[in-house]
Amino acid sequence: MQKTAILLIHCPDRRGLVAAIADFLLSHNANILHADQHQDGESMLFLMRVEWDLSDFKLDLARFGMEFSPIAERYQMDWRLETSSPFPKLAIFVSRQDHCLADLLYRHRGGELACDIPLVISNHAEAAPIADFYRIPFHHIPMATGQAQEVELRQMEILDRHRIDAVVLARYMQILSPRFVARYPRRILNVHHSFLPAFSGARPYHRAFDRGVKLIGATSHYVTETLDDGPIIEQDVARISHRDQLEDLIQKGRDLEKMVLSRAVRWHIEHRILVYGNKTVIFD
Amino acid sequence: MQKTAILLIHCPDRRGLVAAIADFLLSHNANILHADQHQDGESMLFLMRVEWDLSDFKLDLARFGMEFSPIAERYQMDWRLETSSPFPKLAIFVSRQDHCLADLLYRHRGGELACDIPLVISNHAEAAPIADFYRIPFHHIPMATGQAQEVELRQMEILDRHRIDAVVLARYMQILSPRFVARYPRRILNVHHSFLPAFSGARPYHRAFDRGVKLIGATSHYVTETLDDGPIIEQDVARISHRDQLEDLIQKGRDLEKMVLSRAVRWHIEHRILVYGNKTVIFD
Amino acid sequence: MQKTAILLIHCPDRRGLVAAIADFLLSHNANILHADQHQDGESMLFLMRVEWDLSDFKLDLARFGMEFSPIAERYQMDWRLETSSPFPKLAIFVSRQDHCLADLLYRHRGGELACDIPLVISNHAEAAPIADFYRIPFHHIPMATGQAQEVELRQMEILDRHRIDAVVLARYMQILSPRFVARYPRRILNVHHSFLPAFSGARPYHRAFDRGVKLIGATSHYVTETLDDGPIIEQDVARISHRDQLEDLIQKGRDLEKMVLSRAVRWHIEHRILVYGNKTVIFD
Amino acid sequence: MQKTAILLIHCPDRRGLVAAIADFLLSHNANILHADQHQDGESMLFLMRVEWDLSDFKLDLARFGMEFSPIAERYQMDWRLETSSPFPKLAIFVSRQDHCLADLLYRHRGGELACDIPLVISNHAEAAPIADFYRIPFHHIPMATGQAQEVELRQMEILDRHRIDAVVLARYMQILSPRFVARYPRRILNVHHSFLPAFSGARPYHRAFDRGVKLIGATSHYVTETLDDGPIIEQDVARISHRDQLEDLIQKGRDLEKMVLSRAVRWHIEHRILVYGNKTVIFD
């Protein structure tokens, strides 16, 4: 498998940007595989993702920052460099419902998700068998009343020990503390079972059913301090009718949740998501 | 064209309901063309729409209520009888943007909408040419500050004079008074340019753009006293990406608005909508 | 769990049909839970599905046929009676790719699919672990060249022994013989990885990619003697773009295949599908 | 309104391409507004669309070819240069059904379509009023048996006289001769009322209805010598059920046809479509 580098850039839009970046990469013999850019006319921003083959790239990546910094400074770039390997390390958090977990682990095994999944953490035991089947270590950390702080400390200790890069909340029904969220900025992915901003908060299917909507939705997003308010990564919907009872909404919703969360995970680990303000650009 | 009767029923679910209705219709020689029913298991409700050919029906419709009342009383039915002709009379209200109006009038001319449209009312002059083209009388009633009450009185006088059955708000940007709304219960159809309940109120596309949603929507609903809160008839969505600027959302949204409003109008005039609580059943 | 009976009827459309059926059921004290009917105006056909609670139904189901036959004969009905329990027995056939199998077994365990799955049959060994995980006996019957007939005999012997009601081809890549197909009329469900009738036959994703379509699809259908030509049960599509390579089509297609096959299985085991001519009515 | 230039490039993928193009444009002071590129890994092709503001571009466009040719030759580029103004000139061909025509003219008037539409040509008179309403000259050229050649000569004479850039077949039910097609390579856009390649040829809705499909579709494509076989530009589908009769398919299909044709027209006139082989890249 080809090893590649991915450069993500975000800066004020100015003449000469593309030429500066392309010349820099060419001067080090980069063979560009994919390049995608977006110019936000309203906010005068330039956003770019460029990926190149590392096999004959002449610049040591350890020295990339030093070499690239003059360009970055000239254009006031906010940038980061990623590589396709080693794979990012993901921890999956889950509560009782394990459909998103089972879906992610199946895709992972089949090669759809280019990441390592060293562990699953749950406040319940239900999801242990599916994690075992895919040979992913399962950490059962029950959540007793008033123990949230201790539980989070244990969780963070485990994440640290495994040098986890990102956390996927795959129907994890606990609210993370601001301290936890701050530790993984733009690196905690959640799935909410509604078409946000509609029905943020608790029991969205019940509220959708009561309101009589004709479509239900699901949303994957990055977690921020404010509940269900982080940058949206993906959304999808399914049609319902009066023939659908509440349990039908929940059943149809599970398929939506799997789709929007698995797409978000894939885009995240392939470094296809750029967050700016409270919005995302998906370079797919 | 076949003349038909449509009976819409809504009552507590009880054994023998279908047999009672079917026997009654058969005893008067009804040839049933369509029958659709729904049993809401949660609220224990029975809802039905049945349509039959009137050509060899032996009961005078003027006497239908008297003959049907024993059954209706026994089963505590909330019911109404409609006929496919004469066509219901619709008034369309519009402001500056005339895409929904143009769409409805085109469909009406082509035979998609089985209704009469005796008039269009607008607080602006922009939509006059398209109404003229389809030979629909256009009433321009400008809305000066502080004149809302007078304007509504004039509107209602026109609606009365033409014996209007239902009002379609085809991007009419004024809020109707509770008095006006009360006069046309479940007979005012509106299109809101968002996926309700998300972005109810003003400037939904702007707010959707700012929130960074990945799908935009439109909703048709009956108007009640509470803004954007009436029973939802139809919703649809379109995918957007970071490449879509605000004006692209507005453009894509226009197509959604046309679709959801025209479907709602068709279902309304074909007597396919049953409202119960704040929800609708669509017998399509 | 409530035990119910489901009556499926298909006959020429005639006055009095609904009353005759409703009266018959009421006379035996049936409490109707769901009734859905369709009148095909073009072919003058009447199709109905009615489901009732058996707990206080006064007619022994063993005598249902005898009692119902006068009505059935008068109206020339093609009918069948099903019950919600015992569950129908499904065998799943699979080849190397096990995404549909894993999806069906997950849904089955979670209670979405009201059926028994006594066995999985495969011409390859790859799918054994997932069947084992869900504790479904896995029969590995390799397909050597020229052995098709012997393999089918062994398959049929196993199906007979387990009194299998229906066979689900969950990406089973062998073509069944006419003899096999004839033995399970309208009881073999297949998923084809294209939007039929486009790209019937081999390698549909390759051909879709070469043709440059903008949407890919999947189709679930009953198997008949003619390849990919049986009555269609469900179809769905996903948008693709020039950014999608062949492997992306295959990956996106897997999700479509799971959706359309699982819906077909659910509708089949809940007796919601009526086949007439080469078409299906889905009473959902 | 900003005047822009659009450069469309198509060549073998090679290192240094992006830098060469970006440097060339920068050397003439181009302010790039949008750039989008695609690398087809399978066929080793590079495709690019780049758009820049002409207001401070220092190179006279008349000399662009001469200046750019060294780069174009070095990289074996197939390229073309377009400008956002003057607008391209479109002729619309229509037969009896005018829903696509009405839709295009409405969008044109509202500013959605950046083109001139100097004329409509029809073999029938039905569409004259809607063309008149939008003040577009309407040429009624009836098609008598055996007169196809004369009719096409008259059509081509009119197209020549108006220096038409592209022809839009908006439900034009005549088949164009190879001679006509050859005269407008990749400049004749058609809408076919099926999800191609399914149901190419005549009466697609009838055949979709007979086959019992669960979704109907529409396709916009460039016209080539082989009927319904040209490069696909856009496709969309709508769900149908057994409740939909043939006329419902036709009605729902009209909305699909309008959507896929109007998108194709917009992408064509904004120079967002690159054809390679028998496929299209849409730079949206």
Side-chain angles (χ1 to χ4, degrees), chain A residues 31-50:
Chain A
N31 188 18
I32 295 176
L33 300 171
H34 302 283
D36 201 354
Q37 66 198 72
H38 174 61
Q39 286 158 284
D40 185 326
E42 198 141 320
S43 52
M44 298 297 286
L45 281 174
F46 174 89
L47 305 105
M48 187 179 204
R49 178 189 189 273
V50 55

Side-chain angles (χ1 to χ4, degrees), chain A residues 98-99 106-107 112 255, chain C residues 98-99 106-107 254-255:
Chain A
D98 63 2
H99 54 282
Y106 184 88
R107 292 178 196 272
E112 271 187 45
D255 287 318
Chain C
D98 64 1
H99 53 283
Y106 183 88
R107 292 179 196 271
R254 280 198 291 262
D255 287 319

Side-chain angles (χ1 to χ4, degrees), chain C residues 31-42:
Chain C
N31 188 17
I32 295 175
L33 300 171
H34 302 285
D36 201 353
Q37 66 198 72
H38 174 59
Q39 284 157 285
D40 185 325
E42 197 141 318

Side-chain angles (χ1 to χ4, degrees), chain B residues 36 97-100 102-103 106-107 109-112 126 129-130 133-134 243 248 251-252 254-255 258-259 262 266 284, chain D residues 36 97-100 102-103 106-107 109-112 126 129-130 133-134 243 248 251-252 254-255 258-259 262 266 284:
Chain B
D36 202 355
Q97 295 192 52
D98 63 1
H99 54 283
C100 284
D103 181 68
Y106 184 88
R107 292 179 196 271
R109 191 199 62 174
E112 271 188 44
E126 279 86 341
I130 198 84
F133 176 69
Y134 289 105
R243 283 182 285 269
D248 301 305
Q251 180 176 315
K252 291 186 172 185
R254 280 198 291 261
D255 287 319
K258 291 186 290 187
M259 295 302 292
S262 63
R266 190 160 56 79
D284 64 339
Chain D
D36 201 355
Q97 295 192 52
D98 64 0
H99 54 282
C100 284
D103 181 68
Y106 184 88
R107 292 179 196 271
R109 191 198 62 174
E112 272 188 43
E126 279 85 342
I130 197 85
F133 176 69
Y134 289 105
R243 283 182 285 270
D248 300 306
Q251 180 176 315
K252 290 186 173 185
R254 281 197 290 263
D255 288 318
K258 292 187 290 188
M259 294 302 292
S262 63
R266 190 160 56 79
D284 63 340

Side-chain angles (χ1 to χ4, degrees), chain D residues 181-193:
Chain D
V181 172
R183 211 176 155 107
Y184 292 92
R186 292 172 186 175
R187 293 195 286 145
I188 307 175
L189 294 91
N190 185 39
V191 60
H192 183 73
H193 38 312

Side-chain angles (χ1 to χ4, degrees), chain B residues 121-140:
Chain B
I121 288 180
S122 182
N123 52 332
H124 293 284
E126 279 86 341
I130 198 84
D132 290 350
F133 176 69
Y134 289 105
R135 301 176 194 283
I136 311 287
F138 182 85
H139 298 255
H140 179 200

